[in-house]
Amino acid sequence: MTMFSFRWLWRSWAEWQKAVYKLEKEFSSRRIGQAAAISTLLVILFCFEFSMTSFIIPGLPAEVFLTTPTLDFISTPTGTLSAEMMTQYAGQPPPASLPGTAGCVPGQVNLTSPAAGEEIKGTIDLIGTVNIQNFGFYKYEVAPAGSDTWATISAGRSVVSDASLGRWDTTALTPGDYQLRLVVTDNAGVALPACIVPVRVMPLQ
């Protein structure tokens, strides 16, 4: 673009020098003015970009360049656990005792259904709240009671207030006691303390 504008300016100047009649010179003069204005603007933009990339941006603190991490989670949770994760806990009957909830904050990060200690089976709707400042995304996970090995069921990227977070198909899990946890992460990639609810998976029959 810059080369084109300078070429236009040079041709206009050459036409002005060759012009014989006054009307031709006036027309050439207008073209010279237009080409000069465009060329000057392009030079100014080039100098501005050069100074930004060479001097101003490298001198800025690193905090300026913090961006929202790219998330691979789907915007609407499907509530399906992969086959590998579903079979991960097969044959691992958890302990019989059910602890209480932990880390839940009503109005911010909370699971209201299923309730602590509730017996569930089949496919269920998870009801809860994810509503924090600088919200990024949430995910819900499952692990046998007393275990720290968590498997992600699904995730979402929308704020939810006491409504459906997604669905959970429990049919592939061995009946027993499990922990269901809700993890919310802000747009800087920082995860808040998880809301953990103990549940008991029952056989379909």
Side-chain angles (χ1 to χ4, degrees):
M1 186 65 181
T2 304
M3 294 300 298
F4 175 78
S5 64
F6 280 112
R7 183 170 178 269
W8 183 23
L9 178 61
W10 179 80
R11 291 185 61 181
S12 299
W13 174 259
E15 290 178 0
W16 183 84
Q17 287 183 320
K18 294 178 182 179
V20 177
Y21 300 103
K22 182 179 180 181
L23 186 61
E24 289 179 329
K25 284 186 174 293
E26 289 179 357
F27 180 73
S28 298
S29 297
R30 283 198 296 268
R31 293 186 62 186
I32 290 174
Q34 294 172 351
I38 294 176
S39 300
T40 303
L41 178 62
L42 290 175
V43 169
I44 293 174
L45 291 175
F46 173 79
C47 293
F48 175 76
E49 182 179 357
F50 178 79
S51 61
M52 286 289 291
T53 57
S54 300
F55 305 106
I56 299 177
I57 293 179
L60 293 176
E63 291 78 3
V64 175
F65 303 101
L66 288 177
T67 57
T68 302
T70 302
L71 305 176
D72 295 328
F73 295 106
I74 55 176
S75 58
T76 303
T78 61
T80 55
L81 201 62
S82 67
E84 292 80 6
M85 292 180 178
M86 283 177 156
T87 57
Q88 180 177 355
Y89 304 130
Q92 300 181 22
S97 60
L98 291 175
T101 59
C104 302
V105 181
Q108 296 183 18
V109 183
N110 194 29
L111 274 169
T112 55
S113 180
E118 182 176 342
E119 295 182 348
I120 59 176
K121 61 182 178 180
T123 301
I124 64 170
D125 276 312
L126 302 182
I127 306 299
T129 298
V130 286
N131 190 0
I132 64 169
Q133 289 186 343
N134 303 319
F135 173 77
F137 67 94
Y138 69 87
K139 62 181 177 179
Y140 46 94
E141 302 175 315
V142 62
S147 171
D148 289 328
T149 304
W150 296 92
T152 300
I153 303 170
S154 190
R157 299 178 63 180
S158 301
V159 171
V160 179
S161 296
D162 198 23
S164 176
L165 298 168
R167 296 176 66 80
W168 178 24
D169 183 2
T170 67
T171 55
L173 296 177
T174 302
D177 296 339
Y178 289 86
Q179 305 171 87
L180 177 64
R181 80 172 179 181
L182 176 63
V183 181
V184 181
T185 302
D186 63 20
N187 58 16
V190 178
L192 277 66
C195 173
I196 302 176
V197 175
V199 294
R200 177 164 292 166
V201 175
M202 304 297 291
L204 284 177
Q205 300 297 334

